[in-house]
Amino acid sequence: MGQLFSGTSQSEALYSSFTSYFQKFKAENKIISQGIITLIELYLTLGDLQQAKDEIASALRELTSTPLNVAVIGESGTGKSSFINVFRGVGHEEKTSAPIGVVETTMSRTPYRHPNIPNVVIWDLPGIGTTNFPPKDYLEKMKFYEYDFFIIVSATRFRKNDIDLAKAISIMKKDFYFLRTKVDIDLENEKQCKDTFSRETFLQHIRSHCVNMFKKNNLDVPPIFLISNRNVSDYDFPILKVTLKNKLSTNTHQNIMFSLSNTTEATIERKHNSIQQFIWLEAFKDGVLMTNPVVDILKDSDVEKLKMSLNNYRVLFGVDDATLEFMAKDSQVSVEQLRKIIKSPYLLETKKRKTLEGMLLKYMERSASANGGLLKSGLYFRKTYYLELLFLDTVAEDAKVLLRETHSRN
């Protein structure tokens, strides 16, 4: 191990590693097409490492530039357009704002760019169930299959159309958030009707009702947010803003992951495999791998990038702090209890734990035969890529642990 290769033998080793790695995946689970993989393999057999590297770079650019399409849906009058304006930080009277009013104002699906989140397109869809858009025609007219992620907006009470939309999204195996708007009005009405009143009890009652409606209809319970578009510093709106921005800001090469909810361990594994492929391709592109043992020193800038990657993986797999809060509410346990059974939040807290170097060595030993047999052929990633793979494995395992825990409590 660690010997230097001639150009030809290095290409042969790279070809063998690249081919054996991608043979592990079925066609539908590969993040780049088989045609691109075959082309890269051809350049490697010809000894043209630069062309192979350029082809990978081009495929990665295409993945990262793909826009994320987010559909905001629900019945007319629930506050969809108002939510879009508030989330984008745009005043209702500005030219780029979504039109709002007491009558139906959105008559066609309309795209809006978020000013601070690149490659994200938020679509304001007309209300379902009106005379203009009856449910039986709605999905086809709104081109439901084109969106990567959905936000269902509801108000006043849970309706059949909310369930029908959730079922359609679930059939497509895509993710969604559920927003219950106008809770300030609900609270005011409740105060006037009752002699004794508890804000927290009432809000928990609304949340529990939403949870029960999803379960009653055999649907996985999505993240539920109780908000007011008029009081954006109150209720769940602050945490919704942070959670949604984190989710949408995650590198757009992972957009395909929004279509995979953590409903089973198999879907978590599919998500893990897809992101692992991306890390592997990035590592391959970055200098077409190394032919010496991993001796590069981690710099402060490397650690900062690793922190960002770890946070992104936690968001994608639903083990970030904001999602843990919602899991805790739904499961009626403390956040601390959930944090105790997972490992990823502590990966970079090394004072009382193994150092990054120690974690890296242990991971390399454990995965010596993985990733296309790279170590067997004497080829190496930089340390940062091994650590990214370690972080990804840990976060994916955390997602499985939390899935088992929440299912055992339901």
Side-chain angles (χ1 to χ4, degrees), residues 308-328:
M308 289 179 62
S309 293
L310 177 58
N311 289 336
N312 285 342
Y313 298 150
R314 291 184 65 204
V315 169
L316 279 171
F317 283 85
V319 301
D320 56 295
D321 293 342
T323 305
L324 288 178
E325 281 194 40
F326 282 99
M327 281 187 183

PDB file of all heavy atoms in Angstrom, residues 308-328:
ATOM      1  N   MET A 308     -20.164  22.249   8.616  1.00  0.00           N
ATOM      2  CA  MET A 308     -21.276  22.539   7.706  1.00  0.00           C
ATOM      3  C   MET A 308     -21.843  21.258   7.114  1.00  0.00           C
ATOM      4  O   MET A 308     -23.063  21.085   7.030  1.00  0.00           O
ATOM      5  CB  MET A 308     -20.801  23.476   6.598  1.00  0.00           C
ATOM      6  CG  MET A 308     -20.531  24.896   7.045  1.00  0.00           C
ATOM      7  SD  MET A 308     -19.933  25.950   5.692  1.00  0.00           S
ATOM      8  CE  MET A 308     -21.334  25.879   4.569  1.00  0.00           C
ATOM      9  N   SER A 309     -20.956  20.352   6.702  1.00  0.00           N
ATOM     10  CA  SER A 309     -21.417  19.090   6.135  1.00  0.00           C
ATOM     11  C   SER A 309     -22.214  18.289   7.153  1.00  0.00           C
ATOM     12  O   SER A 309     -23.286  17.746   6.840  1.00  0.00           O
ATOM     13  CB  SER A 309     -20.230  18.255   5.649  1.00  0.00           C
ATOM     14  OG  SER A 309     -19.596  18.867   4.552  1.00  0.00           O
ATOM     15  N   LEU A 310     -21.694  18.214   8.382  1.00  0.00           N
ATOM     16  CA  LEU A 310     -22.385  17.468   9.438  1.00  0.00           C
ATOM     17  C   LEU A 310     -23.774  18.054   9.687  1.00  0.00           C
ATOM     18  O   LEU A 310     -24.768  17.322   9.795  1.00  0.00           O
ATOM     19  CB  LEU A 310     -21.551  17.484  10.718  1.00  0.00           C
ATOM     20  CG  LEU A 310     -22.172  16.806  11.943  1.00  0.00           C
ATOM     21  CD1 LEU A 310     -22.488  15.342  11.650  1.00  0.00           C
ATOM     22  CD2 LEU A 310     -21.242  16.923  13.150  1.00  0.00           C
ATOM     23  N   ASN A 311     -23.860  19.379   9.759  1.00  0.00           N
ATOM     24  CA  ASN A 311     -25.161  20.027   9.972  1.00  0.00           C
ATOM     25  C   ASN A 311     -26.115  19.741   8.821  1.00  0.00           C
ATOM     26  O   ASN A 311     -27.301  19.486   9.030  1.00  0.00           O
ATOM     27  CB  ASN A 311     -24.982  21.543  10.146  1.00  0.00           C
ATOM     28  CG  ASN A 311     -24.335  21.905  11.461  1.00  0.00           C
ATOM     29  OD1 ASN A 311     -24.411  21.134  12.421  1.00  0.00           O
ATOM     30  ND2 ASN A 311     -23.698  23.054  11.525  1.00  0.00           N
ATOM     31  N   ASN A 312     -25.596  19.779   7.584  1.00  0.00           N
ATOM     32  CA  ASN A 312     -26.435  19.482   6.418  1.00  0.00           C
ATOM     33  C   ASN A 312     -26.966  18.053   6.455  1.00  0.00           C
ATOM     34  O   ASN A 312     -28.144  17.809   6.168  1.00  0.00           O
ATOM     35  CB  ASN A 312     -25.654  19.705   5.124  1.00  0.00           C
ATOM     36  CG  ASN A 312     -25.480  21.169   4.779  1.00  0.00           C
ATOM     37  OD1 ASN A 312     -26.194  22.022   5.299  1.00  0.00           O
ATOM     38  ND2 ASN A 312     -24.549  21.468   3.911  1.00  0.00           N
ATOM     39  N   TYR A 313     -26.105  17.100   6.810  1.00  0.00           N
ATOM     40  CA  TYR A 313     -26.541  15.708   6.872  1.00  0.00           C
ATOM     41  C   TYR A 313     -27.606  15.536   7.962  1.00  0.00           C
ATOM     42  O   TYR A 313     -28.591  14.811   7.777  1.00  0.00           O
ATOM     43  CB  TYR A 313     -25.358  14.773   7.150  1.00  0.00           C
ATOM     44  CG  TYR A 313     -24.288  14.789   6.092  1.00  0.00           C
ATOM     45  CD1 TYR A 313     -22.952  14.531   6.402  1.00  0.00           C
ATOM     46  CD2 TYR A 313     -24.597  15.075   4.762  1.00  0.00           C
ATOM     47  CE1 TYR A 313     -21.964  14.555   5.431  1.00  0.00           C
ATOM     48  CE2 TYR A 313     -23.610  15.106   3.783  1.00  0.00           C
ATOM     49  CZ  TYR A 313     -22.296  14.850   4.125  1.00  0.00           C
ATOM     50  OH  TYR A 313     -21.321  14.883   3.164  1.00  0.00           O
ATOM     51  N   ARG A 314     -27.417  16.203   9.084  1.00  0.00           N
ATOM     52  CA  ARG A 314     -28.403  16.094  10.167  1.00  0.00           C
ATOM     53  C   ARG A 314     -29.756  16.642   9.736  1.00  0.00           C
ATOM     54  O   ARG A 314     -30.801  16.067  10.068  1.00  0.00           O
ATOM     55  CB  ARG A 314     -27.894  16.827  11.410  1.00  0.00           C
ATOM     56  CG  ARG A 314     -26.691  16.159  12.091  1.00  0.00           C
ATOM     57  CD  ARG A 314     -26.300  16.883  13.360  1.00  0.00           C
ATOM     58  NE  ARG A 314     -27.372  16.794  14.353  1.00  0.00           N
ATOM     59  CZ  ARG A 314     -27.547  17.664  15.343  1.00  0.00           C
ATOM     60  NH1 ARG A 314     -26.733  18.706  15.454  1.00  0.00           N
ATOM     61  NH2 ARG A 314     -28.529  17.508  16.193  1.00  0.00           N
ATOM     62  N   VAL A 315     -29.747  17.733   8.962  1.00  0.00           N
ATOM     63  CA  VAL A 315     -31.009  18.287   8.455  1.00  0.00           C
ATOM     64  C   VAL A 315     -31.656  17.314   7.475  1.00  0.00           C
ATOM     65  O   VAL A 315     -32.853  17.028   7.546  1.00  0.00           O
ATOM     66  CB  VAL A 315     -30.767  19.658   7.786  1.00  0.00           C
ATOM     67  CG1 VAL A 315     -32.003  20.115   7.024  1.00  0.00           C
ATOM     68  CG2 VAL A 315     -30.389  20.710   8.828  1.00  0.00           C
ATOM     69  N   LEU A 316     -30.864  16.801   6.539  1.00  0.00           N
ATOM     70  CA  LEU A 316     -31.398  15.900   5.513  1.00  0.00           C
ATOM     71  C   LEU A 316     -32.000  14.634   6.105  1.00  0.00           C
ATOM     72  O   LEU A 316     -32.999  14.117   5.611  1.00  0.00           O
ATOM     73  CB  LEU A 316     -30.295  15.517   4.523  1.00  0.00           C
ATOM     74  CG  LEU A 316     -29.989  16.528   3.421  1.00  0.00           C
ATOM     75  CD1 LEU A 316     -28.748  16.123   2.660  1.00  0.00           C
ATOM     76  CD2 LEU A 316     -31.165  16.653   2.468  1.00  0.00           C
ATOM     77  N   PHE A 317     -31.408  14.140   7.187  1.00  0.00           N
ATOM     78  CA  PHE A 317     -31.892  12.898   7.784  1.00  0.00           C
ATOM     79  C   PHE A 317     -32.832  13.143   8.963  1.00  0.00           C
ATOM     80  O   PHE A 317     -33.253  12.193   9.627  1.00  0.00           O
ATOM     81  CB  PHE A 317     -30.711  12.032   8.234  1.00  0.00           C
ATOM     82  CG  PHE A 317     -30.020  11.321   7.104  1.00  0.00           C
ATOM     83  CD1 PHE A 317     -29.024  11.952   6.377  1.00  0.00           C
ATOM     84  CD2 PHE A 317     -30.375  10.028   6.749  1.00  0.00           C
ATOM     85  CE1 PHE A 317     -28.388  11.308   5.325  1.00  0.00           C
ATOM     86  CE2 PHE A 317     -29.746   9.373   5.706  1.00  0.00           C
ATOM     87  CZ  PHE A 317     -28.752  10.011   4.988  1.00  0.00           C
ATOM     88  N   GLY A 318     -33.151  14.414   9.226  1.00  0.00           N
ATOM     89  CA  GLY A 318     -34.113  14.717  10.280  1.00  0.00           C
ATOM     90  C   GLY A 318     -33.617  14.435  11.678  1.00  0.00           C
ATOM     91  O   GLY A 318     -34.400  14.026  12.550  1.00  0.00           O
ATOM     92  N   VAL A 319     -32.315  14.637  11.922  1.00  0.00           N
ATOM     93  CA  VAL A 319     -31.789  14.471  13.281  1.00  0.00           C
ATOM     94  C   VAL A 319     -31.171  15.783  13.780  1.00  0.00           C
ATOM     95  O   VAL A 319     -30.384  15.781  14.722  1.00  0.00           O
ATOM     96  CB  VAL A 319     -30.758  13.312  13.366  1.00  0.00           C
ATOM     97  CG1 VAL A 319     -31.389  12.006  12.944  1.00  0.00           C
ATOM     98  CG2 VAL A 319     -29.525  13.595  12.520  1.00  0.00           C
ATOM     99  N   ASP A 320     -31.548  16.896  13.135  1.00  0.00           N
ATOM    100  CA  ASP A 320     -31.088  18.211  13.567  1.00  0.00           C
ATOM    101  C   ASP A 320     -31.886  18.648  14.795  1.00  0.00           C
ATOM    102  O   ASP A 320     -32.916  18.067  15.140  1.00  0.00           O
ATOM    103  CB  ASP A 320     -31.255  19.227  12.432  1.00  0.00           C
ATOM    104  CG  ASP A 320     -32.683  19.282  11.937  1.00  0.00           C
ATOM    105  OD1 ASP A 320     -33.173  18.274  11.378  1.00  0.00           O
ATOM    106  OD2 ASP A 320     -33.335  20.316  12.120  1.00  0.00           O
ATOM    107  N   ASP A 321     -31.416  19.697  15.472  1.00  0.00           N
ATOM    108  CA  ASP A 321     -32.017  20.130  16.732  1.00  0.00           C
ATOM    109  C   ASP A 321     -33.483  20.514  16.571  1.00  0.00           C
ATOM    110  O   ASP A 321     -34.319  20.182  17.420  1.00  0.00           O
ATOM    111  CB  ASP A 321     -31.225  21.308  17.320  1.00  0.00           C
ATOM    112  CG  ASP A 321     -29.830  20.892  17.765  1.00  0.00           C
ATOM    113  OD1 ASP A 321     -29.611  19.671  17.946  1.00  0.00           O
ATOM    114  OD2 ASP A 321     -28.962  21.770  17.920  1.00  0.00           O
ATOM    115  N   ALA A 322     -33.806  21.243  15.475  1.00  0.00           N
ATOM    116  CA  ALA A 322     -35.191  21.688  15.279  1.00  0.00           C
ATOM    117  C   ALA A 322     -36.122  20.490  15.100  1.00  0.00           C
ATOM    118  O   ALA A 322     -37.211  20.440  15.693  1.00  0.00           O
ATOM    119  CB  ALA A 322     -35.278  22.614  14.066  1.00  0.00           C
ATOM    120  N   THR A 323     -35.708  19.505  14.304  1.00  0.00           N
ATOM    121  CA  THR A 323     -36.547  18.325  14.088  1.00  0.00           C
ATOM    122  C   THR A 323     -36.674  17.503  15.365  1.00  0.00           C
ATOM    123  O   THR A 323     -37.736  16.938  15.655  1.00  0.00           O
ATOM    124  CB  THR A 323     -35.981  17.456  12.949  1.00  0.00           C
ATOM    125  OG1 THR A 323     -35.822  18.257  11.777  1.00  0.00           O
ATOM    126  CG2 THR A 323     -36.923  16.306  12.627  1.00  0.00           C
ATOM    127  N   LEU A 324     -35.597  17.435  16.150  1.00  0.00           N
ATOM    128  CA  LEU A 324     -35.664  16.710  17.421  1.00  0.00           C
ATOM    129  C   LEU A 324     -36.713  17.319  18.346  1.00  0.00           C
ATOM    130  O   LEU A 324     -37.401  16.602  19.082  1.00  0.00           O
ATOM    131  CB  LEU A 324     -34.296  16.712  18.106  1.00  0.00           C
ATOM    132  CG  LEU A 324     -33.207  15.823  17.486  1.00  0.00           C
ATOM    133  CD1 LEU A 324     -31.898  15.981  18.248  1.00  0.00           C
ATOM    134  CD2 LEU A 324     -33.636  14.366  17.458  1.00  0.00           C
ATOM    135  N   GLU A 325     -36.838  18.661  18.310  1.00  0.00           N
ATOM    136  CA  GLU A 325     -37.856  19.323  19.132  1.00  0.00           C
ATOM    137  C   GLU A 325     -39.249  18.846  18.765  1.00  0.00           C
ATOM    138  O   GLU A 325     -40.094  18.598  19.634  1.00  0.00           O
ATOM    139  CB  GLU A 325     -37.761  20.848  18.978  1.00  0.00           C
ATOM    140  CG  GLU A 325     -36.647  21.477  19.781  1.00  0.00           C
ATOM    141  CD  GLU A 325     -36.800  22.996  19.883  1.00  0.00           C
ATOM    142  OE1 GLU A 325     -37.951  23.456  20.056  1.00  0.00           O
ATOM    143  OE2 GLU A 325     -35.782  23.688  19.789  1.00  0.00           O
ATOM    144  N   PHE A 326     -39.513  18.738  17.462  1.00  0.00           N
ATOM    145  CA  PHE A 326     -40.834  18.296  17.030  1.00  0.00           C
ATOM    146  C   PHE A 326     -41.054  16.825  17.335  1.00  0.00           C
ATOM    147  O   PHE A 326     -42.152  16.418  17.704  1.00  0.00           O
ATOM    148  CB  PHE A 326     -41.035  18.587  15.544  1.00  0.00           C
ATOM    149  CG  PHE A 326     -41.348  20.026  15.285  1.00  0.00           C
ATOM    150  CD1 PHE A 326     -40.355  20.896  14.879  1.00  0.00           C
ATOM    151  CD2 PHE A 326     -42.614  20.523  15.490  1.00  0.00           C
ATOM    152  CE1 PHE A 326     -40.625  22.231  14.673  1.00  0.00           C
ATOM    153  CE2 PHE A 326     -42.899  21.859  15.294  1.00  0.00           C
ATOM    154  CZ  PHE A 326     -41.904  22.715  14.879  1.00  0.00           C
ATOM    155  N   MET A 327     -40.008  16.012  17.189  1.00  0.00           N
ATOM    156  CA  MET A 327     -40.125  14.599  17.551  1.00  0.00           C
ATOM    157  C   MET A 327     -40.461  14.467  19.038  1.00  0.00           C
ATOM    158  O   MET A 327     -41.285  13.639  19.427  1.00  0.00           O
ATOM    159  CB  MET A 327     -38.802  13.872  17.268  1.00  0.00           C
ATOM    160  CG  MET A 327     -38.575  13.518  15.823  1.00  0.00           C
ATOM    161  SD  MET A 327     -37.093  12.489  15.682  1.00  0.00           S
ATOM    162  CE  MET A 327     -37.001  12.306  13.909  1.00  0.00           C
ATOM    163  N   ALA A 328     -39.795  15.292  19.845  1.00  0.00           N
ATOM    164  CA  ALA A 328     -40.019  15.247  21.292  1.00  0.00           C
ATOM    165  C   ALA A 328     -41.462  15.612  21.629  1.00  0.00           C
ATOM    166  O   ALA A 328     -42.108  14.965  22.463  1.00  0.00           O
ATOM    167  CB  ALA A 328     -39.039  16.178  21.999  1.00  0.00           C
TER     168      ALA A 328
END
